[in-house]
Amino acid sequence: MRIETIDGTGFASGETPGALPADQARALGELEQILGFHISLAEVAIKAHFQKNYGDALGLTQKQIAVLWLVDSCPGIIQVDLARLLRVQRATISAVVNILTARGLMSRAGPGAEDARHVPLELTDEGRRVLASSKRGIERHENWVKQHLTVAEQKAVISLMSKLYRDSD
Amino acid sequence: MRIETIDGTGFASGETPGALPADQARALGELEQILGFHISLAEVAIKAHFQKNYGDALGLTQKQIAVLWLVDSCPGIIQVDLARLLRVQRATISAVVNILTARGLMSRAGPGAEDARHVPLELTDEGRRVLASSKRGIERHENWVKQHLTVAEQKAVISLMSKLYRDSD
DNA sequence: TATTGTTATACTCTATAACTATA
DNA sequence: TATAGTTATAGAGTATAACAATA
């Protein structure tokens, strides 16, 4: 079975006639009802669009920018709190911080004063400069993401996604 | 800085980790308005929950199950169509198919009759067995995903995500 | 020339496990 | 004992680039 593209321009124009969106839905079958499947498709599409149009130029991924952004918003934040905010393991954050510090965008400011187990994070000047540039890329990218959504729909996306990850523990 | 609660009591000092919603929004700052950020958090949370509760037992990821599922729905489907449905590169699909065929769940059924460039895919008997088992896991997992959503909200998630990835080319 | 599949390569993201240091 | 951070390891997922076979 061939699958037609959304706009029907992609391939095999003579081989498998049929209504285009309906054809895709038919191909998906029961998968059409799986929320996680659609969320994953959206995430993949958004990530790919960002990386292609902005990420390569900036040399940063969305995830790395998010970490820069959070450290800028919360100077001195420690890694276990980043892990909670992003819902990943401590070791995962450590890896991202390793990348960002290796690039000179962030610094681990030694043991914390109150609790020597804490390692407060700070952006470097270069990190702040790169973050500002990244935010402009994110802004344009977000305009692309939201291009076919009303304002109400944009709010709905945030509200619904928040409900999905809020109790994820 | 530690992520503190509104009243300043904080969740530090090893007592109750987990930022309160209002506090979390404050930590996120402008990130709160980025749709892609929330979608990514939801995707990570859902993927982690699946892998922990079902994926390890099944020995399959959500993505691998999706490919099995699509091949089962569309016997003889070729890889370029899988790539279009999942919005990834041909080489990416080839890698996933390599994993699934190595595990004996899927077979590349030689060159196609109409077009020798095509390599139609089929599930093996074992693949069908494993898929059936996986679908039961996915069903339970989806119930967890949807646990705090009304039926209308569930439909809204599908509708909104579809709008986000529909024109991703 | 265009399409399909494949391999090689590289990188991010993520987890688990084990370890150190600190509380 | 519990918490924070780190490293080592492993694997999935993804992309790009280059190639061969076919149309």
Side-chain angles (χ1 to χ4, degrees):
Chain A
M1 162 182 186
R2 293 305 309 269
I3 308 302
E4 299 291 338
T5 50
I6 294 297
D7 61 6
T9 59
F11 56 96
S13 41
E15 293 177 9
T16 311
L20 307 174
D23 191 57
Q24 176 158 27
R26 185 157 51 86
L28 295 184
E30 310 155 281
L31 261 182
E32 181 69 26
Q33 299 310 313
I34 307 298
L35 270 58
F37 178 72
H38 293 278
I39 294 168
S40 175
L41 283 193
E43 196 271 341
V44 165
I46 291 171
K47 183 165 58 179
H49 182 269
F50 176 80
Q51 209 58 34
K52 178 177 179 182
N53 292 280
Y54 306 101
D56 293 348
L58 293 167
L60 292 171
T61 65
Q62 288 179 318
K63 189 75 43 166
Q64 290 163 358
I65 294 169
V67 170
L68 288 176
W69 199 316
L70 286 169
V71 173
D72 190 55
S73 292
C74 311
I77 192 171
I78 64 173
Q79 294 184 26
V80 70
D81 286 338
L82 282 176
R84 287 192 187 104
L85 287 170
L86 298 178
R87 282 156 177 86
V88 294
Q89 297 296 312
R90 300 194 314 278
T92 299
I93 290 297
S94 216
V96 176
V97 171
N98 282 346
I99 292 171
L100 294 172
T101 55
R103 296 196 189 164
L105 305 178
M106 179 180 291
S107 70
R108 291 176 162 105
E114 313 159 2
D115 188 327
R117 294 172 302 184
H118 295 181
V119 181
L121 300 172
E122 306 276 356
L123 294 196
T124 62
D125 289 343
E126 173 71 357
R128 273 182 284 273
R129 195 185 64 72
V130 168
L131 175 60
S133 169
S134 298
K135 282 185 177 181
R136 291 193 288 273
I138 290 281
E139 183 184 7
R140 279 179 296 166
H141 172 246
E142 272 287 304
N143 286 336
W144 173 85
V145 169
K146 299 184 296 193
Q147 66 184 323
H148 294 123
L149 299 184
T150 66
V151 171
E153 288 173 328
Q154 296 168 23
K155 289 181 182 170
V157 168
I158 293 176
S159 165
L160 290 168
M161 293 302 108
S162 298
K163 287 186 184 184
L164 286 173
Y165 64 68
R166 182 154 298 150
D167 298 311
S168 58
D169 304 312
Chain B
M1 84 181 203
R2 294 306 310 265
I3 306 300
E4 302 288 338
T5 49
I6 290 296
D7 62 6
T9 56
F11 61 76
S13 63
E15 286 158 8
T16 308
L20 300 180
D23 187 59
Q24 176 159 11
R26 185 155 55 85
L28 295 183
E30 310 156 281
L31 262 183
E32 181 70 25
Q33 298 309 314
I34 307 298
L35 269 57
F37 177 72
H38 293 278
I39 294 167
S40 174
L41 284 194
E43 195 271 341
V44 165
I46 290 170
K47 183 165 57 179
H49 181 270
F50 176 79
Q51 210 57 31
K52 179 177 178 181
N53 292 280
Y54 306 101
D56 292 347
L58 292 166
L60 291 170
T61 65
Q62 287 180 317
K63 188 75 42 164
Q64 291 164 358
I65 293 169
V67 170
L68 289 176
W69 199 318
L70 286 170
V71 173
D72 190 55
S73 293
C74 311
I77 192 171
I78 65 173
Q79 293 184 29
V80 70
D81 286 339
L82 282 177
R84 286 192 184 101
L85 287 170
L86 299 178
R87 282 155 176 87
V88 295
Q89 297 297 311
R90 301 195 311 282
T92 300
I93 289 296
S94 218
V96 176
V97 171
N98 282 345
I99 292 171
L100 295 172
T101 55
R103 295 197 190 163
L105 305 179
M106 178 179 293
S107 70
R108 290 175 163 105
E114 312 162 1
D115 189 328
R117 293 172 302 185
H118 294 181
V119 180
L121 299 172
E122 305 277 357
L123 294 196
T124 62
D125 289 343
E126 173 71 0
R128 275 182 283 274
R129 254 196 310 277
V130 168
L131 175 60
S133 168
S134 298
K135 282 184 176 179
R136 291 192 288 274
I138 291 282
E139 183 184 5
R140 278 179 295 167
H141 173 245
E142 272 288 304
N143 286 336
W144 173 85
V145 169
K146 300 185 295 196
Q147 66 184 323
H148 294 122
L149 299 185
T150 66
V151 171
E153 287 173 328
Q154 295 167 24
K155 290 182 180 169
V157 168
I158 293 176
S159 166
L160 290 167
M161 293 302 107
S162 298
K163 288 187 183 183
L164 287 173
Y165 64 68
R166 182 155 298 151
D167 299 310
S168 59
D169 305 312

